[in-house]
């Protein structure tokens, strides 16, 4: 029934600025299911694989430097429609164009420091979760609030 998973990552600026709790809280409060969570220093090769579709862009080297510049928070979230809904919660790539109420709209000012990543399709959700998490790092569980989120 349309259950998807998405890879959400708090980028190094979000961690350095003390926004980890605030950002996790938005997904938690929405009612999606947290399946994986870790603080992680991303190696360059992994950043390059994650952003491989952008490797011909002029900003790519800076993007790789940024993502590997400090710890990130890696998350796997599950839910019906979680991919598109998370992109809405995150807001537009350029934080100055992101709507107020979105994470980027509320918490960031520049594309190169836009605090959070979210997968752009269910296929990429699977791909990115496989890329960033090892087997055994994800939990299958039913939260106590489940009957109060979905009838
Ligand atoms: P999004 O993160 O909203 O999915 P994307 O996948 O097009 O955006 O790009 C990935 C990241 O690359 C983005 O979060 C920030 C950086 N980026 C994208 N376009 C950029 C640009 N024009 N200048 C600098 N950085 C850019
Ligand atoms: Mg993207």
């Amino acid at each position: 029934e349309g259950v998807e998973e998405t890879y959400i990552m708090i980028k190094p600026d979000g961690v350095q600025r003390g926004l980890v709790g605030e950002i996790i809280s938005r997904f938690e409060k929405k009612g999606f299911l947290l399946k994986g969570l870790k603080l992680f220093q991303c190696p360059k090769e992994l950043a390059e694989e994650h952003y491989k579709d952008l490797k011909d862009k002029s900003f790519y080297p800076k993007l790789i430097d940024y993502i590997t510049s400090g710890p990130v928070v890696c998350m796997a979230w599950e839910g019906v429609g979680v991919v598109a809904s998370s992109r809405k919660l995150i807001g537009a790539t350029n934080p100055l164009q992101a709507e107020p109420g979105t994470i980027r709209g509320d918490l960031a000012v520049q594309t190169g420091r836009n605090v959070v990543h979210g997968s752009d399709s269910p296929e990429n959700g699977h791909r990115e979760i496989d890329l960033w998490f090892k087997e055994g790092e994800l939990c299958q569980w039913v939260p106590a609030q489940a009957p109060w989120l979905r009838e």
Side-chain angles (χ1 to χ4, degrees):
E1 32 135 15
V3 179
E4 302 170 349
E5 56 180 10
T6 193
Y7 177 66
I8 303 295
M9 176 168 70
I10 305 173
K11 297 178 179 181
D13 49 334
V15 176
Q16 297 287 352
R17 293 176 55 208
L19 299 174
V20 169
E22 161 88 34
I23 292 171
I24 293 176
S25 178
R26 296 196 178 205
F27 294 90
E28 219 178 11
K29 287 178 188 164
K30 173 72 174 169
F32 292 126
L33 177 64
L34 182 63
K35 293 177 70 186
L37 173 68
K38 65 180 177 185
L39 186 70
F40 182 62
Q41 174 63 54
C42 173
K44 194 168 184 217
E45 307 74 57
L46 179 57
E48 288 171 346
E49 177 63 23
H50 176 78
Y51 282 125
K52 65 180 179 191
D53 292 347
L54 300 174
K55 69 171 183 298
D56 297 329
K57 302 282 187 188
S58 59
F59 57 80
Y60 177 79
K62 277 171 70 177
L63 178 61
I64 300 302
D65 284 349
Y66 161 51
I67 292 300
T68 57
S69 64
V72 295
V73 173
C74 309
M75 292 177 274
W77 290 90
E78 183 183 277
V80 174
V82 71
V83 173
S85 178
S86 295
R87 298 276 294 183
K88 278 193 184 165
L89 291 176
I90 289 169
T93 304
N94 180 344
L96 292 183
Q97 276 149 28
E99 294 294 326
T102 65
I103 295 169
R104 287 169 174 166
D106 289 348
L107 305 176
V109 292
Q110 208 196 37
T111 303
R113 296 286 186 271
N114 64 8
V115 303
V116 65
H117 165 84
S119 308
D120 61 9
S121 68
E123 296 68 35
N124 278 333
H126 293 309
R127 177 181 85 86
E128 292 170 4
I129 288 170
D130 282 354
L131 191 61
W132 289 86
F133 286 98
K134 294 187 203 129
E135 215 173 308
E137 288 184 330
L138 301 175
C139 293
Q140 301 295 341
W141 62 295
V142 179
Q145 57 171 303
W148 303 104
L149 283 164
R150 296 178 57 82
E151 61 182 9

